[in-house]
Amino acid sequence: MNDRLSRLFPPQVWLKRYRRTTLIQDAIAAVLMTILVIPQSLAYAMLAGLPPETGLYASILPVIGYALFASSHTMAVGPVALIALMSATTVAPLSNGDPAVALGTSLTLALLCGLYLFAMGIARLGFIANFISHPVISGFISGSAVLIILSQLGTLLAIPASGANLPDIMGSILTHLERFNALTLLIGVAALIMLLAGRRHTQPLLIRLGLGESAAGLLQRLVPMVAVLVTTVATASAGLGDAGVAVVGVLPQGLPGLTLPSVNLAMLETLAVPAFLISLVIFVESASIAHRMAARRGERIDPDQELMGLGAANVLTAVSGGFAVAGGFSRTVVNDQAGAQTQVAGVLTAVGIGLVTVFFTDLFHYLPKATLAAIIIAAAVTLIDTRSARDTWRYSRQDGLALLATFLLTVFAGVIPGILTGVALSLLLYLYRTSKPHIAVVGRLPGTEHFRNEQRYAVETNQQLIILRVDEALYFANARYLEDRISEALRDHPAVTDCILMCSGVNMIDASALETLEAINTRLDGAGVRLHLSEVKGPVMDRLETTPFMRHLSGRVFLSTFDAWQSLNTISPDTTAANNSCFL
């Protein structure tokens, strides 16, 4: 029972070893995290189309909920740009511009995401993230980043800008362009330059001034708070709010009451699919961050625990007035660089944000919304991964086209069509690649027990014996290809009396492939060719032994291909010359 509880609640393990020195490290990290998270949280709430205070609410209880189940020691959970955008594009068409409806729908969406994630964790479906390939994820995130940037142009110009894709957003901006506010644009551009220049030059400057690399990198992450302070003071002292510069205004003090969002069947039906897709993105994005940080620290991540942690976080954000949350890369990096050792740092950060929410919201009254837009844009720029796109295109045209298609559809159709396309492309690419597995005619390397592709090596072969190595699981999508490939090989080798399928690369044979093998065995037997198997893996053999195929197999099953060669090689072998290489 104790082991089961320890697996379910990982803090039970590391809290036993928790020391005062660890608490001090976590507390220092929490102070720095609080400073970083507040402007980000306000900005991402605006990106989600919600009041700024919801960003603060989404940074308190969800962090604690995640900490209860998380296997990652340092990943920081809260509002992130990509999930905020997906939430906004899902909610906006349903709210018709009504802020109260938008908030209620966002809470319901977060609740559904939380339930999906937690249920997947209980069902141990952490492997589900593998259904989306990295190129597709890269294209989706880059396309979403473009939409995030475009969505903030309206705030920078102080004009309405709505839409879920590039044509809609640009159309809205062009329609209202003549109403833009020059002061708002000036503040937004100044904040953006400060953020981008600070990101690039702060660390090198501080290092030249004698600061350590780690400390300089940490201070560089706090540039957004500097931008917030400078533009807030400038706006307040110059009275720019009266000149048309939109500011955050009055933020309610105190914490919201805990309550379940109002849910009806029609809303659940509408949000069910978007919520699942958003849940998938939450997990994929968060898991990649958690694995990256764990690798640096020599730790191990349990994907199923991460699912439950993220699920608990989203359920708690739904009942506490926030919106959907995920693991954030920038805040996780700051958390790690600040010296955080455990999830206690996140809990203390939540306490710090809670104190700010209760006592100090007045400090943000004159914060320009254009500054928050600049923070969002600066964060989104880092999500556009041109290097990955270039490397992927060079390595694989198929993956490159999948990345490009996902990117373009995300930008021109929206994030939900984009991620749907991404999932579909990932599965289609897998089916395409495995539908034509590598099947090589192999021969024996002279003087050894090894068998290699006769197209690549100088190997011994025999006119009456052909060996085909299958380098893929056999299933419905490639069963016919196997049959065709064997037929081609036998046409090229008309004197063959024995055919060996070398199954060292086959880890599964499904019912369709088994039926095809039976047909191959029957056809070869009728042509006077015996079918043999070699190097069949144990789990595959366990299943084959119970089938009629094994009873009707015209040949034998050999433990190794060399055993089959010795047993069936009844005439002197020929030597087939090939280009020697190191490839299999």
Side-chain angles (χ1 to χ4, degrees):
M1 178 63 74
N2 287 336
D3 290 342
R4 188 178 301 174
L5 285 175
S6 296
R7 287 196 299 270
L8 185 61
F9 299 106
Q12 279 196 337
V13 177
W14 52 259
L15 279 175
K16 295 176 182 178
R17 305 189 300 269
Y18 203 73
R19 299 291 182 267
R20 180 180 300 177
T21 54
T22 310
L23 175 61
I24 293 172
Q25 290 175 296
D26 283 341
I28 294 172
V31 171
L32 295 171
M33 277 291 292
T34 302
I35 296 171
L36 168 73
V37 164
I38 288 174
Q40 276 191 353
S41 300
L42 297 172
Y44 294 153
M46 186 173 71
L47 176 59
L50 300 173
E53 63 270 14
T54 59
L56 299 177
Y57 303 155
S59 302
I60 303 174
L61 281 186
V63 177
I64 299 172
Y66 172 74
L68 290 175
F69 297 93
S71 61
S72 172
H73 285 196
T74 57
M75 188 170 76
V77 165
V80 297
L82 178 56
I83 304 305
L85 175 67
M86 294 187 73
S87 178
T89 55
T90 301
V91 169
L94 305 176
S95 63
N96 296 318
D98 187 329
V101 174
L103 178 58
T105 308
S106 295
L107 295 176
T108 304
L109 181 65
L111 179 62
L112 282 176
C113 289
L115 294 176
Y116 275 137
L117 289 163
F118 201 86
M120 287 191 290
I122 292 176
R124 307 197 70 78
L125 297 179
F127 64 88
I128 200 170
N130 300 329
F131 286 116
I132 309 181
S133 67
H134 175 73
V136 163
I137 283 292
S138 178
F140 172 68
I141 291 177
S142 295
S144 299
V146 172
L147 290 182
I148 289 169
I149 293 170
L150 292 173
S151 71
Q152 297 310 300
L153 295 181
T155 304
L156 285 181
L157 297 168
I159 60 175
S162 59
N165 53 55
L166 185 148
D168 291 347
I169 295 172
M170 293 307 298
S172 178
I173 290 173
L174 293 174
T175 300
H176 304 96
L177 189 59
E178 72 280 357
R179 295 163 48 189
F180 87 96
N181 183 285
L183 277 176
T184 301
L185 180 60
L186 179 63
I187 290 174
V189 170
L192 185 58
I193 292 173
M194 193 182 308
L195 291 166
L196 296 178
R199 178 187 298 160
R200 183 170 184 177
H201 301 295
T202 299
Q203 186 175 18
L205 178 61
L206 292 175
I207 291 174
R208 285 198 297 270
L209 293 175
L211 206 61
E213 183 177 349
S214 178
L218 186 60
L219 290 177
Q220 176 182 283
R221 301 280 179 179
L222 301 181
V223 169
M225 181 54 76
V226 176
V228 166
L229 290 173
V230 171
T231 56
T232 300
V233 171
T235 302
S237 59
L240 299 182
D242 298 328
V245 175
V247 297
V248 169
V250 177
L251 293 179
Q253 286 191 332
L255 301 175
L258 301 181
T259 180
L260 283 171
S262 178
V263 178
N264 59 67
L265 183 59
M267 183 181 292
L268 289 177
E269 291 176 348
T270 303
L271 295 178
V273 173
F276 178 75
L277 294 174
I278 294 173
S279 300
L280 195 61
V281 175
I282 288 172
F283 177 55
V284 170
E285 182 178 14
S286 304
S288 64
I289 295 169
H291 280 294
R292 191 181 310 180
M293 300 309 297
R296 288 177 54 184
R297 298 167 64 97
E299 298 169 353
R300 178 183 174 276
I301 296 299
D302 184 338
D304 300 313
Q305 285 297 131
E306 293 302 304
L307 277 168
M308 287 191 282
L310 293 165
N314 278 280
V315 169
L316 287 178
T317 197
V319 302
S320 61
F323 54 95
V325 298
F329 181 70
S330 62
R331 64 181 67 197
T332 300
V333 169
V334 171
N335 200 34
D336 181 68
Q337 290 183 345
Q341 300 298 309
T342 69
Q343 286 295 330
V344 170
V347 173
L348 293 176
T349 300
V351 172
I353 296 172
L355 292 174
V356 171
T357 305
V358 172
F359 297 109
F360 302 110
T361 53
D362 289 344
L363 296 176
F364 303 102
H365 185 283
Y366 292 102
L367 172 59
K369 290 185 177 181
T371 301
L372 297 180
I375 291 173
I376 294 171
I377 292 172
V381 167
T382 64
L383 298 177
I384 301 176
D385 192 355
T386 56
R387 179 179 179 181
S388 177
R390 184 175 61 252
D391 292 344
T392 299
W393 182 262
R394 289 175 178 171
Y395 182 74
S396 169
R397 288 290 189 269
Q398 294 171 5
D399 283 331
L401 287 173
L403 187 155
L404 181 62
T406 305
F407 172 82
L408 292 176
L409 201 63
T410 300
V411 170
F412 287 96
V415 291
I416 299 299
I419 191 61
L420 280 172
T421 301
V423 173
L425 283 174
S426 295
L427 295 176
L428 286 173
L429 276 175
Y430 171 78
L431 290 174
Y432 175 76
R433 287 169 176 160
T434 58
S435 67
K436 294 184 177 181
H438 183 251
I439 300 176
V441 177
V442 301
R444 179 189 176 215
L445 290 175
T448 75
E449 297 182 7
H450 301 292
F451 291 79
R452 294 292 184 267
N453 191 338
E454 68 176 19
Q455 299 293 325
R456 296 177 179 272
Y457 290 85
V459 295
E460 294 178 353
T461 60
N462 190 306
Q463 293 181 358
Q464 296 180 357
L465 176 64
I466 187 170
I467 308 172
L468 293 98
R469 190 187 68 215
V470 184
D471 296 331
E472 184 61 72
L474 297 177
Y475 72 117
F476 64 91
N478 60 27
R480 177 60 61 86
Y481 181 77
L482 171 67
E483 187 174 4
D484 293 342
R485 187 70 180 86
I486 291 175
S487 297
E488 291 174 7
L490 292 179
R491 281 199 301 269
D492 295 338
H493 301 78
V496 164
T497 59
D498 291 276
C499 176
I500 303 172
L501 285 186
M502 182 178 174
C503 300
S504 55
V506 178
N507 54 24
M508 185 269 292
I509 298 175
D510 76 352
S512 298
L514 178 63
E515 185 176 339
T516 298
L517 287 175
E518 292 172 345
I520 291 171
N521 181 59
T522 301
R523 186 172 297 120
L524 293 184
D525 192 30
V529 178
R530 293 180 295 176
L531 177 65
H532 309 271
L533 305 179
S534 72
E535 303 187 22
V536 182
K537 294 184 177 180
V540 177
M541 195 65 211
D542 290 342
R543 300 184 68 179
L544 287 179
E545 284 178 337
T546 64
T547 66
F549 168 71
M550 292 303 298
R551 294 195 296 272
H552 301 145
L553 183 65
S554 59
R556 297 165 53 190
V557 178
F558 293 93
L559 182 62
S560 72
T561 305
F562 184 68
D563 290 342
W565 172 269
Q566 286 185 312
S567 176
L568 301 174
N569 193 20
T570 57
I571 64 174
S572 300
D574 302 319
T575 299
T576 301
N579 178 33
N580 282 323
S581 76
C582 61
F583 300 105
L584 296 178

